[in-house]
Amino acid sequence: MPTCVSATTKTPPPAQFPPLEQSNGSGTRPQRGLAWGLVALCLLGWAVRLPLLARFPLREDEAIYAYWALHFLHEDPLFLTVWPDKPPLFLWTLAAFLGVARPEDALQAEALARWVNVAASVLTIPLIGAIARRWWGAPAGWVAAAGMAFNPYAIAFAPTVYTDTLLVLGGVAALACAVCRRWFWAGVWLGAAIMTKQQGLAYVPLLLGIWWTLGRDPTTEARPAALARLVGGALLLVLPIIYWDSLRWAVAPSPWDLAQRNYGPLQAVALIEWPARLAAWGEWIWYLAGAWWVWGVWSVGLVLGLALRAPRSSASRWSVVWLALWSLGFLALHVGTTVQIWDRYLLPLAPLFALSLGWMWGRVGAQAQYWRWVGSQRRSIWVVGLALVGLLAQPAWQAGQGRYPLGGDHGDYAGLHQALGWLDANGGPRFVLYHRALGWHYPFYLFDDLRAGRVELRWFPNPPGLADNAAKTAYPPKYLIVPAWAAQPQLGLHLQTRGQTLQTRLVAGNFRVLEIVHAPQPLCRWCASRLPAVPWRLAQPVEPGMMSQP
C-alpha cells in the first residue's frame, strides 16, 4: 500500500488502527501481503474494464471529443476553426496518446482513445487505497481500494471517451496529495481537474475543508503556507492554459463561455421541482452499488460505524465529516440547479462510495474483540476483504458486460462499423454522404477520407431539402446511412417527386446504407432528337453573287 509522510517531518503519523499481529517481529509480511493484495485489485479492476473496449461504436459526445483530439493533432492546434466547449487538458492527453500510438484506421483509433480512460480509472484504485490507509489504517485502505476496483459506475465509464474519468483521477489525486500534506502537488492536480472539465471546480471546497482540518494539527505546516502552496500549484497549470486560450479570443470563444451557450447558465430551480429531480438522480445513484444487497451491507456498516467508538485522530474524524458534507452538497447542487440529468455527472461520487466502505471497515474492524471467532485480526482482514470482493463481483461483472444503462453505447449504434466499412470499400473514389443524426460521428470515423477530399458531408434539415439537393447533384454518387431509431419515412416519397429513388445497399444492425439514384425513365419516342427523313439529293450549285445577297 502506498505510504506518505508529513511535508515537514519524516516521523510517520500515529497509527489509527490497532497493529496487525506480526509473524516475524518486523511487520513486513503483513504489509507485504496488503501490498500484493492491492496489486491484485488493480489487475482485477483492469481486467473487468476491458470487455467493452471495442464492442460498440462511440456515442455522440465521445465521437466529437475524439474528433477534436484528431483535429488538434493534425489540423489546428489552436482550435480556431473548431470550437470545443471543454477545457483542453483531456483533448491534449487524448491527442498525445493517439499521436504516439499512430492508429492505422478509425477502429484502432476508437479503441486506443478508450485506453486513456481505462488507464485513468485503474490509477484511481491505489489512490483511493492510499487515502483510506492514511486516515483509517491499512485494512481500511485495502477495502476502499476493492470498493473502487469493483465499483459499477467506475467500470461502466472506464472504456469510454468522456472527460469525466480523467476529471475524477485529477480530483482523487489532489485529495490524496492533500491527505499526505503535499499541498503543492495537490494544487497541481486540482488545476488538472479544472482544466479537464468545468466541474473540476467542485473539488475546491473539498480540498479547502481538508486544508482546514489538517491545519488544526500543530505538527504540520502552518495553514497560510499550506494554502499558498495549494494555490501556487493550481496556478502553475491553470495560468499557462488560460494564456493559450487567450490567443484564440480574437476569433474563437473560450470553452468556458461556449459551455454557457451550449448547456445554459447554472441556475437554481424551484423547490416544487426538487422531488422529481431527486427521483431522476436517484435512479443513477442506485448504480453506485449496482445491487440491493450491496446497499444493504453498506447501510448496516454505516449504522455500525456510527455506533461503534473506534480510536481515531481528530484529523480522521473531521475527514469523515468533510467527505459526507461534500457528497451531500454535490448531490444538492445537482438536484437544486439546472444541471442536466446525465449519468456521467455523478461519477465523482464513486470514489466517495468506495471511501465510505473503507471507513466502515476501519471502524468495525478496529473492534478486535468481535473477531475472535476468526482466529486473528490479520485473518479477519482477509476474510472480510474476500467477502467484500465476492459481494461486489456480480455488480462489477454486470457493469463490465454493459448490462447497466451507464457509460457508453449499449447497442443503439450496433452496425455502424459495418455500414462505414461498406462505404469505404464500395463508395468509390469520391462520394457525397448526407447526414442528420450522425453528424458528430462522421468527422471522427471518416477523418482521413474527409482530409483527402474523398467524402463530402452534406447536412439536410428535412426530407424535402435532401430531395431537392440530390436532384441537383448528378455526380458523384450519393449515399445516406439511416439509423433505425431516426428513420425518414417520407424520404422516399419526396425523392420520387424529384425523379430520384432509394436503393438499399446494406443492412447491418440498426443501420441501413442507402444510395440515392435517378429513377429509371420509360422509353420516350416523341422526345428523341433526330432529323426528319428526306430524299437524298445533290446540293444545288451556288451561283455567283448569291452569298452576298441578304
Side-chain angles (χ1 to χ4, degrees), residues 68 150 210 230 445 458 481 542:
W68 285 342
F150 298 103
I210 301 301
L230 178 67
Y445 284 105
R458 294 185 186 180
I481 299 179
V542 180

Side-chain angles (χ1 to χ4, degrees), residues 278-304:
L278 181 60
W281 283 114
E283 295 180 4
W284 297 123
I285 291 175
W286 186 86
Y287 293 104
L288 289 174
W292 291 113
W293 59 84
V294 179
W295 279 115
V297 172
W298 182 85
S299 302
V300 173
L302 179 64
V303 173
L304 291 177

Side-chain angles (χ1 to χ4, degrees), residues 15 38 242 245 491 496 505:
L38 182 61
I242 292 179
D245 191 19
L491 180 58
Q496 288 180 5
R505 300 304 186 191

Side-chain angles (χ1 to χ4, degrees), residues 325-342:
L325 289 177
W326 186 83
S327 301
L328 293 175
F330 186 86
L331 181 59
L333 176 67
H334 288 70
V335 172
T337 63
T338 55
V339 176
Q340 299 286 340
I341 305 177
W342 291 341

Side-chain angles (χ1 to χ4, degrees), residues 34 166 178 187 195 320 465 476:
L34 289 173
L166 191 62
M195 289 295 106
V320 177

Side-chain angles (χ1 to χ4, degrees), residues 214-234:
L214 296 180
R216 302 173 73 245
D217 188 349
T219 64
T220 61
E221 193 174 19
R223 278 183 182 171
L227 182 60
R229 291 176 178 270
L230 178 67
V231 175

Side-chain angles (χ1 to χ4, degrees), residues 471-495:
K472 298 174 181 177
T473 305
Y475 180 85
K478 303 174 289 294
Y479 295 96
L480 173 68
I481 299 179
V482 178
W485 36 265
Q488 303 290 331
Q490 302 297 323
L491 180 58
L493 178 61
H494 288 285
L495 285 172

Side-chain angles (χ1 to χ4, degrees), residues 148-171:
M148 191 65 197
F150 298 103
N151 185 274
Y153 232 95
I155 293 171
F157 280 96
T160 65
V161 195
Y162 291 120
T163 58
D164 303 80
T165 301
L166 191 62
L167 162 72
V168 170
L169 174 62

